[in-house]
């Protein structure tokens, strides 16, 4: 069974591997409903936070809005949490971070990402995607642009066909326009 299909199993496996160490959970808010709930994953996380079970330190990421909406009201979590607020990356910082993930995204989609595309993703995401800060929003934009080329059977932009396998600033602009309506 895939761990993505079973969050309880994924959490337990992560906790076993993090024994006497640190477990990093990206977007930790996804394990908590808007209103307090008592499912098995939430209970398991609470036991770890309350040091009732296991001895791993959990480091989780979330946005301010998601923390307020889903975690702050859960006293067993919020009373044990140490919140570190990190400001969103600047456009320049985001471009440097995108350079670090560019190769893995190219490999994943079997495409080439032009440097103009990473710059456009950072600039346009900072301007038009308000629900997620940089660099996450820019990475989302790059994934969308790559997906468009990967699955498109026709022209996806001026002078750009699905067979050209190059993501440029025009494809990024088209992707962001689809994402923002």
């Amino acid at each position: 069974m895939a761990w993505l299909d079973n969050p309880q199993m994924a959490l337990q496996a992560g906790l076993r591997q993090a024994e006497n160490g640190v477990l990093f959970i990206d977007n930790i808010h996804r394990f908590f409903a808007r209103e307090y709930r008592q499912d098995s994953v939430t209970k398991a996380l609470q036991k770890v936070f309350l040091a009732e079970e296991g001895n791993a330190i959990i480091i989780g990421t979330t946005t301010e809005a998601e923390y307020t909406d889903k975690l702050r009201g859960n006293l067993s979590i919020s009373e044990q949490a140490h919140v570190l607020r990190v400001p969103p990356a600047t456009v320049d910082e985001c471009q440097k971070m995108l350079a670090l993930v560019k190769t893995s995204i190219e490999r994943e989609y079997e495409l080439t990402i032009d440097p103009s595309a990473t710059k456009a993703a950072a600039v346009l995401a900072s301007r038009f995607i308000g629900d997620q800060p940089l660099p996450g929003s820019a990475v989302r934009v790059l994934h969308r642009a790559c997906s468009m080329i990967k699955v498109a059977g026709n022209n996806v932009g001026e002078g750009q066909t699905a067979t050209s396998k190059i993501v440029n600033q025009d494809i990024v602009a088209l992707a962001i326009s689809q994402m923002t309506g």
Side-chain angles (χ1 to χ4, degrees), residues 34-128:
R34 181 161 296 185
E35 295 178 13
Y36 185 74
R37 68 178 184 189
Q38 283 291 329
D39 70 6
S40 58
V41 176
T42 301
K43 286 179 185 177
L45 276 171
Q46 287 172 330
K47 286 180 180 179
V48 173
F49 271 99
L50 295 171
E52 293 175 3
E53 194 174 284
N55 56 359
I57 296 169
I58 295 178
I59 297 176
T61 66
T62 189
T63 64
E64 186 75 30
E66 294 289 356
Y67 176 79
T68 300
D69 189 36
K70 296 182 180 176
L71 295 171
R72 187 168 38 196
N74 187 325
L75 295 180
S76 62
I77 302 296
S78 63
E79 288 179 355
Q80 300 296 321
H82 300 279
V83 177
L84 173 65
R85 287 175 174 77
V86 178
T90 65
V91 171
D92 289 338
E93 291 167 337
C94 180
Q95 287 181 54
K96 291 175 184 172
M97 290 180 226
L98 290 177
L100 297 173
V101 298
K102 178 179 170 256
T103 304
S104 67
I105 295 173
E106 287 175 327
R107 194 175 322 117
E108 179 180 347
Y109 290 94
E110 299 174 339
L111 300 169
T112 301
I113 299 173
D114 187 80
S116 69
T118 55
K119 181 177 182 180
V123 170
L124 295 174
S126 72
R127 199 174 297 158
F128 296 110

Side-chain angles (χ1 to χ4, degrees), residues 105 108-111 113 139-153 156 162 167 171 175 178:
I105 295 173
E108 179 180 347
Y109 290 94
E110 299 174 339
L111 300 169
I113 299 173
V139 170
R140 242 176 71 202
V141 169
L142 275 182
H143 277 288
R144 173 64 69 94
C146 290
S147 294
M148 288 171 55
I149 288 185
K150 193 72 176 172
V151 299
V156 291
V167 178
I171 300 301
Q178 287 184 355

